[in-house]
Amino acid sequence: MEKNMFDGARAAGPRSQAGIAVLMAAGSMVSVQFGAALAKPAMDMFGTLATTWGRLAWAALLLAILVRPDPRRYGRRAIVGALALGVAIAVMTVTFYEAIVRVPLGLVVAIEFLGPLSVATFGFGRSWRLVWPLVALAGVLCLVRDREGWSIDPIGLGFALAAGVGWGSYILLSKRTGAAFKGLDGLAISFIAAALVTTPFGLAETGLHMPIRFVAETAGLALLTPLIPYALEMMALRRLPSHSFGILMSAEPAIGALAGFFILSQPLSLLQMAGIGLVIAASIGAITSASERAAA
């Protein structure tokens, strides 16, 4: 399916490829952040670990049915890479959702963004393009200040930082997995691994009691995140360097703040709104720089 949809696009020039990647990344970020906001009531009702496991399990099952990956077609190194990606997805997902039950969504995503920001910074080396990670960092610093100052729940901070490590690892591993596998085979294997890693924690929190509402809500939420966004991100990473993709993700704290505001009624200060503007500017600058480098 992916091949049929994008064969024509791959024949286009570098700027067209970058444009396609931007649209994919934007769709992914909106899906992730609004999915996270909509998941909060389910986590309050069923528990963070149970809800996260249910979403990963549904995503793994649906993608396995749709893609039907055959591990025998790939070498050991590719399979190990896909399994490592699954572990990164599990860590990133669990720690992210543990963080947002303690800290406002926009703030969590801003802190978590330090992972992609690190990927972007190392990728740009010593070029003038380092200005974009710096602009993004300034925006993140604006976002982390709320109306009461710089205070934050220390446990939530720890989970958000762990999610950032997982996010940075996810970007690097997702690009490698996307290059090593055809279509979405690698992502399907990764989701299966992520679901297996989180199964003991999810079952422990459910107490083996899974009402129909839990099954239905986690199935619906699985589409918003992780299934649709991670598929879009893997395809986007085939069209962009990992460091450019990492800085493009700087729009995610802004989207998270907006999702928290509209869905969870988490207010934004003027400084946080300025931060939104800075991270969007950094995203636009980064993708423009990536296009110019590819066309050169």
Side-chain angles (χ1 to χ4, degrees):
M1 180 176 68
E2 179 196 345
K3 182 177 180 181
N4 293 334
M5 290 176 61
F6 296 108
D7 272 347
R10 286 174 181 164
R15 291 183 183 276
S16 297
Q17 292 296 306
I20 292 169
V22 169
L23 292 176
M24 289 177 175
S28 168
M29 289 185 284
V30 171
S31 183
V32 165
Q33 296 309 316
F34 279 84
L38 291 170
K40 198 169 187 304
M43 290 189 293
D44 291 339
M45 181 176 297
F46 303 114
T48 304
L49 294 173
T51 304
T52 302
W53 165 68
R55 297 165 78 163
L56 288 172
W58 272 114
L61 178 62
L62 292 172
L63 199 56
I65 292 172
L66 292 173
V67 176
R68 290 178 292 178
D70 184 358
R72 295 171 298 179
R73 298 171 56 189
Y74 303 98
R76 179 181 176 184
R77 184 174 181 179
I79 297 299
V80 170
L83 295 177
L85 174 60
V87 174
I89 288 173
V91 170
M92 175 178 66
T93 306
V94 169
T95 53
F96 173 75
Y97 287 110
E98 286 286 357
I100 67 171
V101 298
R102 296 170 172 85
V103 179
L105 178 60
L107 177 53
V108 171
V109 182
I111 297 167
E112 185 193 25
F113 176 66
L114 294 175
L117 183 64
S118 298
V119 171
T121 301
F122 288 125
F124 280 133
R126 296 183 178 180
S127 75
W128 66 269
R129 294 175 179 86
L130 280 173
V131 67
W132 302 125
L134 293 176
V135 171
L137 179 59
V140 167
L141 292 176
C142 290
L143 280 169
V144 299
R145 183 175 177 86
D146 61 22
R147 293 177 178 179
E148 297 179 358
W150 298 96
S151 60
I152 181 174
D153 178 86
I155 297 176
L157 173 61
F159 278 122
L161 290 172
V165 174
W167 195 2
S169 302
Y170 160 78
I171 290 175
L172 297 175
L173 291 169
S174 185
K175 185 167 184 65
R176 293 177 186 175
T177 301
F181 288 85
K182 293 182 179 179
L184 297 176
D185 284 5
L187 188 62
I189 294 171
S190 298
F191 272 154
I192 293 171
L196 290 175
V197 168
T198 55
T199 293
F201 305 100
L203 290 179
E205 190 164 67
T206 62
L208 301 180
H209 175 65
M210 289 172 278
I212 295 298
R213 182 174 179 180
F214 168 80
V215 175
E217 287 195 20
T218 53
L221 290 169
L223 295 175
L224 281 176
T225 177
L227 188 55
I228 291 175
Y230 288 6
L232 289 173
E233 287 177 7
M234 180 164 284
M235 291 186 286
L237 278 162
R238 287 174 175 156
R239 293 163 171 82
L240 281 178
S242 57
H243 57 273
S244 295
F245 181 85
I247 192 65
L248 179 60
M249 290 290 102
S250 64
E252 194 139 8
I255 296 172
L258 291 173
F261 177 74
F262 287 112
I263 297 177
L264 301 176
S265 300
Q266 295 171 342
L268 293 170
S269 67
L270 289 176
L271 190 59
Q272 288 171 323
M273 287 188 279
I276 290 174
L278 286 173
V279 293
I280 291 174
S283 297
I284 294 172
I287 197 59
T288 302
S289 297
S291 299
E292 291 174 350
R293 291 182 69 183

